Each structure stands twice: as structure tokens, then as C-alpha cells.
Amino acid sequence: MEQLTITPLVPPQHGFHLIGELDMATVTQFKTALEAASENGPVTLDLAQLTFIDSSGLYAVMEFARSRNGNGPLILLSPTATARRAIAIAGLDGQPGVEVR
Amino acid sequence: MASASVVSLAERLKQRRDELGISQSQAARELDVARTAYRLWEMEAAKPAPDRWRLIASWLGVSVTTMLLAEDLVSEDEAGLGDIVAFDFGRPGRASTRSAGESNFFAQARNLIAEGTESGDITSEHAHDLTFLVERIEKERSKMQTSAWEATELRKSLPANEHAPKAARDALSFVGADIPEEPLQTALLLASELVTNSVVHGPSDPSTVGLLISVERDVLRVEISDGSPHAARPKTRGEGGGLGLAFVAEMASRWGSGRDAGVNVTWFELDLPLPGATPV
């Protein structure tokens, strides 16, 4: 039915490439992946092929950014126009430790 | 080719019917008209209405333009340009592929007129009338383009589970297939938020989410209801409500919520750029 594919980025980059849609149905899968990424250093989420994200997904991103607690920035890479707007309204782009590129 | 323009419609119909070896009744059936009407056409006692032209032309194996050249079917006063526009170009405000096909049509019509004039098939007087007609249709059509999106309404009841937001988005993508990308993406986000809220906070029995999507003229409206006539019994409160509503408040042209006959309803509207307006 609904699909989210999460692929680890190629080292030395840490993070994930997200393909598909992130909402309440796929957020658990996303959170599980994030738990595996709690190393030090920058973590990148490549959002270029994430065709949809709503507040369910953005809350998970915000929570993860907070939980990193200074362990290097969380980089949100290439969100779609609508995702970028949602990120701005959520104030994620101004949150300490979060970079939107 | 040169003879084509001097054969009357009645003769053409008879010729075609002979070719196919069928009766008047059979021809009438193929053209989707009453047999009497068809007989009157062959007797030149009546002329087909504009909404029949395309079917007749294709049955005869010619273009509508070619068919009209031979006949006095078009006179500015009686033909009713509105009918021509309606039958030949489909529905207004629909199909983004339309413009390409349409400009082709007008270009093709002009070419035919030019060719016909050159070869002597069309008198210059005829050519003048036809050019006038093509221009009128084109003008009427461009007015229609900016008129409205096709009115649509879709109601759906979704099981209130984690898949409901996706189901609502799918329905919206279907209804809004022609809507420009930007407002559609916004609508998908806002609908997803309202459905998520309804799933998280709505009554657990019966556990459904009501979805109403409508497009009218230049407004897309999405209405989400908890689908229960009973008073809402909040489920375990999860995260989500606040931010989702912030998106709605920021991005919707208008929105609101309330209780209607015991059902919680939240809605939003997005103003759409009119079809035919400068693309985003």
C-alpha cells in the first residue's frame, strides 16, 4: 500500500536517503531507522525523493534533532517545495542543530 | 479531392451507406439518431444539429471542416457557436493536455482553409467565412479556458486507521489530477493533517473518517468529519494536532471547524489559479 524506503548513505556520510512518503503509517519505520543513526557527527537526511512528509514525520525529525543534543548537526537535504514550507512553519529551520540545505 | 466540396451531405450519406451496404435504420443506429431524422437528412429535408457533426464526419471518413465546406450547415446566426465549441473541444477547464491538441486543431483548420483556397476547392468567399468561424471558436474557447475548473465532488468514508491519511491523499490526487502542482501538494499536506487528527482524536466507535473533496470554479475544498453521530470520545492523545493545524492555518485560503449534528467537521479551502491562467 504505502511505501517508505530508507537507505543508509554511503560512508563517510552518516544518515539516510528517504524515498516515498512519510506520514503516520510509515513514521514508526522512520523512527526505528533514526535510532540506528545516533552516532556523533553530522547526520544527513536526503529528502530529495521524499515525495510527501506531514507533521507526523516532522515531529519525528524535530524529536530526533533534540535528542542529538549537540552531537553534530542534523542536515535536511533538498526537501521539496512543499516540505520546505512545512519545515519553515514548524520552525525546524531555526532549531539549533538543524540545517536545511 | 476537388469534387469533394460540391457533393451535398445527403449524397455523401447515401454514398457512404451504399459503400457499407447497410439500410437507413442501420445507418441511423450507427450515427445514434432516430431513423426518421436520418431519413430527413438524406432527403435534405433536415440538417443534423452541430452536436452530431463530429460523429457524422468520422462516419463519412472526413474531417468536420471538410464536411462543413460542402454544406451550408454553418451560418453564423443559426449554428450557435456555443454548441460547436462544446462538442468539438470537450469539457471546459479540463485536461492539461488540451491546449496542445487544441492549438493543433486551430492550426490544422487554418491549413485546410489555406490549402483548399490554393487548390480551388474553396472559394475565397468560403475561405473568408471559415476563417471568421475558426477565429470566433478560438476566441470563445479562450474565454472558456479562463472560466473555471470542472466542478467535482467526491465523498468517501475511510476506516480510521494509520492508512487513512494516505487513502485521503490518493482520493485527492485523483480528483485534483488537473490542478497545478503547487496547490495540489499543499492540499495533500493539509488533508493529510486533518485526517491524521481525526484518526488520532476522533471517536473510536464507529471508527471512520468522512472525507469530502470538492472543486467548484476556482476553489478546492476538503472537509473531514469524524463520521460519528455520537459525541466524540477522544482516543489516547498522540502528538500531531498542533503542528498540523498550524499548517492548515498558514497555508489554507480559508479554514474552520465546528460541530454539525454531533459530528466534528474541519474544513479548508484553497483558491486555485484559474485554468488557462499563466502557469505557476
Side-chain angles (χ1 to χ4, degrees):
Chain A
M1 190 174 174
E2 177 163 13
Q3 287 295 326
L4 174 67
T5 306
I6 306 174
T7 332
L9 294 176
V10 180
Q13 275 195 300
H14 282 303
F16 302 98
H17 186 202
L18 305 180
I19 304 171
E21 303 185 24
L22 180 47
D23 68 0
M24 74 185 300
T26 50
V27 74
T28 312
Q29 183 192 348
F30 177 58
K31 284 179 176 168
T32 308
L34 287 180
E35 279 165 23
S38 29
E39 298 140 67
N40 289 340
V43 171
T44 301
L45 295 179
D46 185 342
L47 307 178
Q49 284 173 279
L50 188 68
T51 52
F52 183 82
I53 180 168
D54 64 12
S55 63
S56 303
L58 288 170
Y59 272 120
V61 174
M62 286 158 92
E63 203 178 301
F64 176 67
R66 263 198 301 270
S67 76
R68 300 212 8 105
N69 212 0
N71 285 346
L74 171 65
I75 299 157
L76 304 178
L77 196 62
S78 311
T80 64
T82 308
R84 204 173 275 275
R85 222 177 140 196
I87 286 169
I89 294 169
L92 244 172
D93 51 353
Q95 188 172 325
V98 179
E99 279 177 34
V100 183
R101 290 185 194 163
Chain B
M1 194 66 205
S3 64
S5 59
V6 296
V7 181
S8 74
L9 177 67
E11 282 173 70
R12 280 178 186 243
L13 289 171
K14 270 180 263 179
Q15 274 175 12
R16 181 69 182 135
R17 201 158 56 73
D18 286 346
E19 256 173 54
L20 296 171
I22 59 175
S23 69
Q24 286 189 339
S25 322
Q26 283 168 310
R29 251 200 310 280
E30 287 190 18
L31 292 171
D32 197 24
V33 289
R35 189 170 58 103
T36 318
Y38 180 85
R39 281 180 56 197
L40 292 174
W41 295 349
E42 277 201 7
M43 289 162 63
E44 293 190 67
K47 287 178 176 171
D51 63 356
R52 298 280 159 203
W53 292 349
R54 184 154 65 174
L55 186 56
I56 296 170
S58 84
W59 190 67
L60 292 171
V62 298
S63 73
V64 173
T65 316
T66 309
M67 186 180 80
L68 296 184
L69 287 179
E71 277 296 314
D72 202 13
L73 289 173
V74 182
S75 91
E76 216 201 308
D77 302 330
E78 73 178 42
L81 290 175
D83 290 344
I84 304 171
V85 171
F87 97 82
D88 220 349
F89 304 108
R91 299 165 294 175
R94 189 72 182 170
S96 46
T97 53
R98 179 196 60 216
S99 11
E102 225 170 68
S103 48
N104 274 346
F105 175 88
F106 291 117
Q108 220 180 341
R110 288 203 180 84
N111 281 343
L112 273 172
I113 296 167
E115 278 169 29
T117 315
E118 211 169 302
S119 65
D121 282 357
I122 312 174
T123 64
S124 62
E125 200 184 323
H126 244 134
H128 181 268
D129 290 351
L130 283 165
T131 307
F132 175 80
L133 184 67
V134 169
E135 272 165 19
R136 276 289 295 274
I137 297 174
E138 201 171 19
K139 210 160 83 195
E140 287 298 317
R141 187 58 192 159
S142 71
K143 275 193 238 160
M144 288 171 73
Q145 276 189 352
T146 55
S147 67
W149 292 99
E150 192 192 8
T152 325
E153 189 177 297
L154 180 118
R155 284 169 194 276
K156 240 174 137 70
S157 178
L158 310 168
N161 59 33
E162 57 175 13
H163 299 296
K166 170 68 171 166
R169 295 201 300 275
D170 285 347
L172 188 51
S173 296
F174 178 75
V175 172
D178 297 331
I179 290 171
E181 189 65 12
E182 200 252 306
L184 178 62
Q185 290 301 327
T186 303
L188 290 171
L189 174 63
L190 304 190
S192 196
E193 298 297 354
L194 294 187
V195 172
T196 302
N197 283 352
S198 182
V199 170
V200 175
H201 305 296
S204 49
D205 179 32
S207 203
T208 56
V209 177
L211 172 68
L212 169 61
I213 303 167
S214 70
V215 176
E216 198 171 331
R217 204 181 129 76
D218 58 348
V219 176
L220 169 70
R221 182 183 169 95
V222 175
E223 218 177 279
I224 307 296
S225 56
D226 281 349
S228 166
H230 310 296
R233 271 189 293 132
K235 292 176 175 175
T236 325
R237 192 172 179 87
E239 55 191 14
L243 187 52
L245 281 183
F247 293 157
V248 177
E250 282 287 326
M251 299 187 194
S253 305
R254 288 163 296 281
W255 74 284
S257 70
R259 258 178 101 68
D260 183 14
V263 176
N264 294 309
V265 178
T266 312
W267 58 271
F268 71 85
E269 289 181 351
L270 282 179
D271 293 335
L272 304 172
L274 283 166
T278 321
V280 184

